Amino acid sequence: MTDGLLSVLAAVCNPVVGVVKHRQVAVEQLKPMTAPTAEAGESMADIRRAATRYLPDSQIKRRLFWRYTLIYDARLAAASVGE
């Protein structure tokens, strides 16, 4: 549910941020994006479950526009196992 609401919010805000960040009107037509893209196959909950399973003690921070940061420190994880 949260993923869907945040995606709608991002879809509305994305063009607004584009206009704010790029105030000048393009002189020529922009080339289409060529980077390969795909629809998300996992929800944020799926990613959190996988991170918990494979990277215990990792932290996930949701970012703007369909991004997230996963932070994992193997040294800290090894230290907590050795306790």
Side-chain angles (χ1 to χ4, degrees), residues 23-40:
R23 293 176 189 250
Q24 290 181 318
V25 176
V27 177
E28 58 187 35
Q29 195 172 26
L30 300 174
K31 296 178 184 177
M33 284 185 53
T34 58
T37 61
E39 290 294 321

